[in-house]
Amino acid sequence: MQPPRLTGLLVLVAVLAAAGAFGWWRRRRDGRLRVVSPAGDVAHRAALAALGVRTGEVTLVQFSAPVCAPCRAARRVLEDVAGRFDGVALLEVGVEEHLDRARELDVWRTPTVLLVDGTGRIVRRAAGVPDRADLLAALAPLAAGARA
């Protein structure tokens, strides 16, 4: 049997290692635009239409909450990016008012950003403040298609 001091030290090291690994994983994933599979398209389109997303228009949808500090940073990024393209709409949705729709769209934290193409399909999503360059790169081909 090990002395209690060594056991406590081993537990502390294990907890710190687990916390560090989780922090590393979360930092790498936070704000990354992920490609969305087309599964659930019909249900998602209905939920998006109920929130005010219009067909024929590329839309950036941000789910936010009043107490969410990163939501303000995400809003600034989205306003800047949407302002660079013609025909790109920005829609901010309060999760408190639209909790059922947020659940339908698999939104579990704020801010969550959805990039919706002109057909009403979610093509990319990010949890956290999205990276401006990634968002510009993902939006450029969609915005060009919307103008055509």
Side-chain angles (χ1 to χ4, degrees):
M1 188 160 155
Q2 296 177 350
R5 294 182 147 204
L6 186 56
T7 303
L9 182 62
L10 290 175
V11 169
L12 176 64
V13 168
V15 167
L16 288 175
F22 176 74
W24 174 82
W25 172 80
R26 174 104 184 234
R27 185 176 186 107
R28 293 215 12 113
R29 189 170 177 183
D30 204 32
R32 295 247 173 177
L33 283 175
R34 296 179 293 127
V35 176
V36 177
S37 72
D41 256 3
V42 174
H44 290 170
R45 288 178 197 207
L48 290 168
L51 291 171
V53 174
R54 294 186 297 246
T55 348
E57 186 173 63
V58 176
T59 308
L60 292 167
V61 181
Q62 176 186 344
F63 285 87
S64 60
V67 296
C68 171
C71 294
R72 292 187 286 278
R75 184 181 315 115
R76 285 191 297 272
V77 170
L78 295 176
E79 286 172 348
D80 175 54
V81 169
R84 296 178 187 219
F85 296 98
D86 292 332
V88 174
L90 178 57
L91 176 64
E92 188 168 358
V93 177
V95 291
E96 291 177 347
E97 297 87 22
H98 302 283
L99 190 56
D100 291 341
R101 300 290 180 222
R103 287 181 180 154
E104 286 178 50
L105 295 168
D106 201 27
V107 173
W108 296 103
R109 63 179 277 215
T110 57
T112 293
V113 176
L114 306 176
L115 176 54
V116 182
D117 68 7
T119 65
R121 188 172 85 80
I122 302 169
V123 292
R124 300 249 197 282
R125 73 182 300 136
V129 180
D131 181 70
R132 186 182 319 266
D134 289 347
L135 197 53
L136 285 168
L139 192 56
L142 295 175
R147 277 185 252 141

